[in-house]
Amino acid sequence: MSVLRLAVPSPLRQLFDYLPPAGTSPELLAQLAPGTRVRVPFGRREVTAYLIGVFPDSAVDSAQLKPAVEILDTRALVSGALFELARWAWHYYHHPSGEVLSALFPKRLRDGKPHQRGGAPAWRLGTRGKGLPEQALSRSPKQARALALLRADREVTAKEFEAQGISRAVLRALRDKELIEPCTVQREPREALCRDGLALNTEQSAVLQELQGAEGFSCSLLEGVTGSGKTEIYLQLIADCLARGRQALVLIPEIGLTPQTLGRFAQRFDADIAVFHSGLSDAQRYQSWEAARDGSAHIVIGTRSAVFTPLARPGIIIVDEEHDSSYKQQDGFRYSARDVAVKRGQIDDCPVLLGSATPSLESLQNAALGRYRQLHLRNRAGSAGMPAVEVRDVRRQPLHAGLSPQLLEDIQATLDAGEQALLFLNRRGYAPTLQCHDCGWVAECNGCDARLTIHRRQGRLRCHHCGASSTLPASCPVCHSRSLLSLGLGTEQTEAFLRQRFPDRALYRVDSDSMRGRDAMAALAEQINRGEPCILLGTQMLTKGHHFPAVTLVAVIDADALLFSADFRGEERMIQLLTQVAGRAGREAAAGRVVLQSHYPDHPLLQAAREQDYAQQARRLLEQRRGSGLPPSGQLLILRTDCPDARYAESFLRDLREATEHRLPAGCSYIGPLPAPLQRRAGKFRCQLLLTAPSRRDAHHAATLAVAAAEGATAGRGLKWSIDIDPQDMF
Ligand code: ADP
Ligand code: ZN
Ligand code: ZN
């Protein structure tokens, strides 16, 4: 007897045994590899499951085993190495294996559709077409000619037919008669070509020399100030990798994957580049996936999930802006693409390069412990120097939409000098609070513990946590007064003011409201890069990865909004953000400057930002973390619940704590359960139980206990629980 042991995509953390479909040959069974897709009945549905292995027997009585419906692939579509990576991930993140394996496949294959090789769409003779006498189609000369072409040349691409003047209608008619059938032809794998890179400066050359020619696994951390030419290093390493006939995988943060970035790769390489981002259609994603898998793509660039792309010949893995929090998936399968990338390098036995101007404390710690090689670029490439940073006291200053008179003068002077100004305000909408001046009523979300943001232009109130929205009221729903106040500041308001103040100047607002679709940002970047004087006003979206050569003034309108955070990573994030924002100033010849507006000009974090010494700040923060046992000194994990019943959300975690606490490894301890910082979201109450552990091993052990206890408990009452290993945010 043979049993298929399968990972089924479901929240259950267990494997399921099935019998092979009736009539499966022993030869096929013997060659089935892990990761092979198998269609099986599951509950009342049929689902695509993934093979873990073929076993001689099952713990389940064989009479109870159901047969699988179909083995979907005769050869596994993912390599043994990628399957190994998935296995590591489901153990490490304590996530159900079926869901982790699903993450390796594009939707079409997850849905159980047949695998189709990549390549150009083409046609070939069907069985009926092969048997047809030469003269059979003499009444339709075009159809006859198409058939003749197919007889001469077994597969003919749609493009060739087009060139021969044979329309699609003709081919469709032949297909309807079942004389021909569609297929794809493999493109000839081509050699990637690389154009000359920039002549490197001394620092860059030293770094490249260290990294070049490395084969086999190693992990390096490249800490290079903004504009120091890290990307140039990536490009030259990739050239090196392509020359060895291998593929390069490049990960980029969510908002860093701009057409500008892609343009730089496309300019440098005459090569096939497979791109992955959230804006792709399923068909495009499938194509990219297949090109990476069959090896025809030389370079794979993508956001977080691209770390699981199959590669035929992995040669190097690069993670740009490795500190960026978008590498952490915040729901479902909560993995860190950066950490998975390092593991992948080990399994694929290829070098990994992490780059950032502001490396995460985790990576700095790994470098300090000798696990990563640390490399530095301390100066800007080319002629640009670092910008001067000024903390500006706005106490007692008249502020217009958040802007002090002095900042308005600076903007004016920048524009007059023919340069561009970039203003950072990390809050979209018009204002974060709507309040009644007569009775004090405040507009709040029905489902969340949060205020609604005013979006004046759309005439709506929106919740930025759950997405709920309603019409902006003209009067107070409680006392019917019409004097409603907009409190606080958002980009829409500052935009309105700036338009009044600088009516003849170009002004671009960049946030997720104004930039819908990827093309919007591409068009804008092109506009900005023409270099004409303008004002850029935006949220985080403006701060990362962009290279705007004519920006010389950068201002943080409300630095105070960044200063106070409940999260233990708050300070680290703030210093990273300020460094990245400041890094947009003066990236080319003209000197840049940075203004931070604050009511707390003496705040140590702002003074630190002024000194622009990230390394020193990071050392200080690492010291603090050593004191508290928080990451990266200790390990952290969070068990979360959400439930319509607030008390149950908490008691579930309390029970879990009680059931496991006495068995935790030494040095591990629980904190909580505590309400989440945003306790109610979209009608659910949210609770957290934190666990700190002295080592990864202990954390893993503790997590195993906690997950077993949670799985054993009957949840009910609409309660959902999850575990987050190495959490990035307490939210
Ligand atoms: P980073 O990725 O570190 O932010 P970039 O690679 O984007 O830096 O480089 C910043 C700017 O400096 C770009 O305009 C780039 O073309 C330029 N640059 C990089 N390396 C050199 C070099 N060796 N010589 C001249 N200019 C360079
Ligand atoms: Zn009122
Ligand atoms: Zn809400």
Side-chain angles (χ1 to χ4, degrees):
M1 185 175 111
S2 292
V3 172
L4 306 178
R5 191 148 302 155
L6 302 174
V8 178
S10 85
L12 300 170
R13 285 172 179 75
Q14 88 192 67
L15 300 175
F16 293 87
D17 287 352
Y18 285 82
L19 297 171
T24 309
S25 73
E27 294 76 40
L28 178 60
L29 278 179
Q31 68 169 52
L32 285 181
T36 299
R37 297 178 305 143
V38 182
R39 193 185 355 253
V40 295
F42 190 71
R44 266 171 286 167
R45 301 171 303 146
E46 279 188 7
V47 300
T48 306
Y50 306 92
L51 184 74
I52 302 297
V54 180
F55 292 87
D57 50 29
S58 172
V60 181
D61 179 8
S62 69
Q64 308 248 315
L65 292 179
K66 287 189 200 145
V69 178
E70 188 185 358
I71 292 173
L72 293 167
D73 310 307
T74 44
R75 296 186 53 187
L77 299 176
V78 296
S79 66
L82 195 56
F83 180 83
E84 227 20 73
L85 184 69
R87 187 203 295 274
W88 171 82
W90 80 66
H91 281 292
Y92 184 76
Y93 291 107
H94 295 269
H95 195 74
S97 52
E99 289 188 359
V100 173
L101 283 165
S102 295
L104 306 184
F105 294 88
K107 180 167 187 314
R108 227 158 85 181
L109 298 175
R110 287 201 304 268
D111 288 349
K113 303 238 169 69
H115 171 243
Q116 279 170 350
R117 296 198 159 273
W123 295 92
R124 65 178 171 221
L125 290 177
T127 335
R128 292 188 58 190
K130 283 180 194 152
L132 206 67
E134 295 265 342
Q135 302 308 318
L137 291 171
S138 58
R139 272 185 301 157
S140 169
K142 284 217 162 164
Q143 292 187 11
R145 203 148 62 79
L147 273 195
L149 279 172
L150 286 167
R151 283 212 176 88
D153 207 356
R154 286 190 11 251
E155 289 165 340
V156 178
T157 61
K159 239 194 190 136
E160 276 172 70
F161 276 123
E162 203 181 303
Q164 296 278 342
I166 294 172
S167 70
R168 275 199 251 165
V170 172
L171 297 166
R172 269 201 299 269
L174 287 168
R175 185 197 55 196
D176 291 345
K177 295 184 201 163
E178 292 178 27
L179 295 173
I180 67 172
E181 59 192 26
C183 63
T184 52
V185 292
Q186 206 73 37
R187 285 193 204 90
E188 283 296 300
R190 62 183 186 120
E191 206 170 312
L193 294 176
C194 174
R195 297 185 190 89
D196 281 342
L198 299 174
L200 297 183
N201 61 36
T202 328
E203 264 192 320
Q204 282 173 314
S205 306
V207 166
L208 189 69
Q209 217 160 34
E210 280 276 320
L211 294 172
Q212 217 162 23
E215 291 187 49
F217 172 72
S218 62
C219 184
S220 310
L221 174 64
L222 174 57
E223 177 171 5
V225 299
T226 52
S228 58
K230 294 184 289 297
T231 311
E232 186 59 33
I233 301 272
Y234 304 156
L235 293 172
Q236 301 206 12
L237 279 174
I238 292 168
D240 195 44
C241 164
L242 299 186
R244 284 183 284 121
R246 312 225 135 238
Q247 294 168 289
L249 172 61
V250 183
L251 300 182
I252 303 225
E254 205 67 59
I255 41 186
L257 186 55
T258 60
Q260 233 179 334
T261 316
L262 291 179
R264 260 176 106 174
F265 281 80
Q267 250 171 35
R268 180 64 56 88
F269 299 103
D270 181 10
D272 286 318
I273 302 180
V275 182
F276 290 91
H277 57 74
S278 52
L280 294 185
S281 69
D282 288 343
Q284 288 169 321
R285 187 173 292 273
Y286 182 83
Q287 262 176 14
S288 293
W289 186 87
E290 182 58 20
R293 194 189 81 88
D294 73 15
S296 58
H298 304 100
I299 303 174
V300 176
I301 305 181
T303 48
R304 180 173 66 224
S305 62
V307 73
F308 290 111
T309 311
L311 296 170
R313 303 177 308 278
I316 190 170
I317 303 174
I318 295 172
V319 184
D320 188 29
E321 309 289 359
E322 64 88 31
H323 67 280
D324 196 277
S325 52
S326 76
Y327 284 124
K328 181 75 200 277
Q329 174 128 320
Q330 304 282 22
D331 53 13
F333 172 24
R334 294 170 171 78
Y335 64 95
S336 151
R338 178 199 57 218
D339 296 347
V340 173
V342 175
K343 190 69 197 177
R344 181 163 189 177
Q346 268 173 28
I347 292 176
D348 281 342
D349 198 29
C350 73
V352 178
L353 176 62
L354 311 178
S356 175
T358 53
S360 62
L361 298 184
E362 280 75 6
S363 295
L364 288 170
Q365 163 115 329
N366 280 324
L369 293 173
R371 293 192 193 124
Y372 301 168
R373 169 172 38 184
Q374 192 169 6
L375 302 159
H376 294 274
L377 292 172
R378 296 176 209 276
N379 299 293
R380 281 194 158 173
S383 51
M386 292 304 281
V389 177
E390 184 192 335
V391 179
R392 199 170 283 165
D393 187 354
V394 292
R395 282 174 297 186
R396 289 182 297 276
Q397 297 279 320
L399 294 178
H400 300 281
L403 309 164
S404 67
Q406 208 182 346
L407 180 54
L408 286 166
E409 272 170 38
D410 291 338
I411 296 170
Q412 181 77 56
T414 304
L415 296 171
D416 289 346
E419 296 162 358
Q420 300 173 344
L422 185 157
L423 311 177
F424 174 76
L425 180 63
N426 211 13
R427 217 176 299 115
R428 64 199 168 84
Y430 187 84
T433 300
L434 179 71
Q435 187 180 44
C436 173
H437 197 39
D438 290 356
C439 77
W441 167 83
V442 165
E444 285 173 342
C445 179
N446 284 330
C448 309
D449 292 333
R451 294 179 171 183
L452 295 169
T453 300
I454 304 168
H455 287 255
R456 181 149 288 172
R457 193 169 309 165
Q458 303 160 320
R460 298 197 78 76
L461 287 170
R462 287 185 186 284
C463 174
H464 287 186
H465 299 281
C466 72
S469 107
S470 55
T471 318
L472 188 61
S475 58
C476 171
V478 178
C479 75
H480 308 292
S481 156
R482 297 186 77 84
S483 37
L484 295 177
L485 305 173
S486 305
L487 302 183
L489 192 60
T491 48
E492 218 183 285
Q493 192 175 147
T494 306
E495 177 194 16
F497 173 78
L498 286 166
R499 283 206 192 282
Q500 244 174 28
R501 175 69 193 246
F502 301 101
D504 313 324
R505 299 298 193 164
L507 166 64
Y508 306 103
R509 192 183 99 212
V510 182
D511 55 34
S512 55
D513 296 324
S514 66
M515 294 287 123
R516 300 236 172 231
R518 290 166 46 79
D519 295 344
M521 194 66 213
L524 179 68
E526 199 171 298
Q527 182 80 24
I528 297 169
N529 284 332
R530 279 194 211 127
E532 270 145 42
C534 68
I535 304 171
L536 293 162
L537 167 68
T539 55
Q540 293 229 24
M541 227 183 185
L542 251 188
T543 61
K544 288 184 198 168
H546 297 290
H547 182 66
F548 299 132
V551 169
T552 55
L553 171 69
V554 167
V556 176
I557 295 175
D558 183 11
D560 299 345
L562 306 170
L563 291 179
F564 306 101
S565 160
D567 199 312
F568 77 93
R569 279 185 227 268
E571 266 193 59
E572 176 187 357
R573 290 274 158 70
M574 138 100 189
I575 296 170
Q576 287 167 341
L577 181 63
L578 281 178
T579 310
Q580 297 287 348
V581 178
R584 300 311 112 199
R587 284 169 68 91
E588 225 116 273
R593 65 184 181 123
V594 180
V595 173
L596 311 177
Q597 293 198 127
S598 173
H599 289 88
Y600 309 93
D602 300 323
H603 196 290
L605 281 180
L606 292 177
Q607 290 307 323
R610 203 170 58 82
E611 283 160 21
Q612 297 182 72
D613 190 346
Y614 180 76
Q616 188 197 328
Q617 292 305 316
R619 272 195 301 276
R620 180 176 64 79
L621 292 174
L622 274 170
E623 198 57 47
Q624 281 179 9
R625 302 277 176 90
R626 256 193 292 280
S628 62
L630 286 167
S633 263
Q635 304 294 312
L636 181 67
L637 61 88
I638 301 185
L639 289 140
R640 295 196 176 91
T641 48
D642 69 57
C643 184
D645 178 340
R647 264 181 308 178
Y648 190 52
E650 190 172 331
S651 68
F652 182 89
L653 290 176
R654 207 173 326 107
D655 292 349
L656 199 134
R657 175 180 176 149
E658 274 161 23
T660 51
E661 197 159 26
H662 58 285
R663 286 183 291 154
L664 291 181
C668 290
S669 56
Y670 278 125
I671 307 170
L674 304 162
L678 183 72
Q679 188 183 2
R680 197 169 52 106
R681 187 168 72 189
K684 303 271 184 62
F685 289 87
R686 306 154 74 243
C687 226
Q688 310 186 329
L689 177 60
L690 281 63
L691 186 137
T692 55
S695 71
R696 285 205 158 185
R697 217 189 137 87
D698 292 332
H700 186 80
H701 184 154
T704 309
L705 286 175
V707 167
E711 292 220 288
T714 34
R717 293 190 230 178
L719 180 134
K720 291 213 181 72
W721 66 271
S722 62
I723 184 164
D724 191 351
I725 307 291
D726 306 330
Q728 281 299 304
D729 289 292
M730 320 273 144
F731 48 83

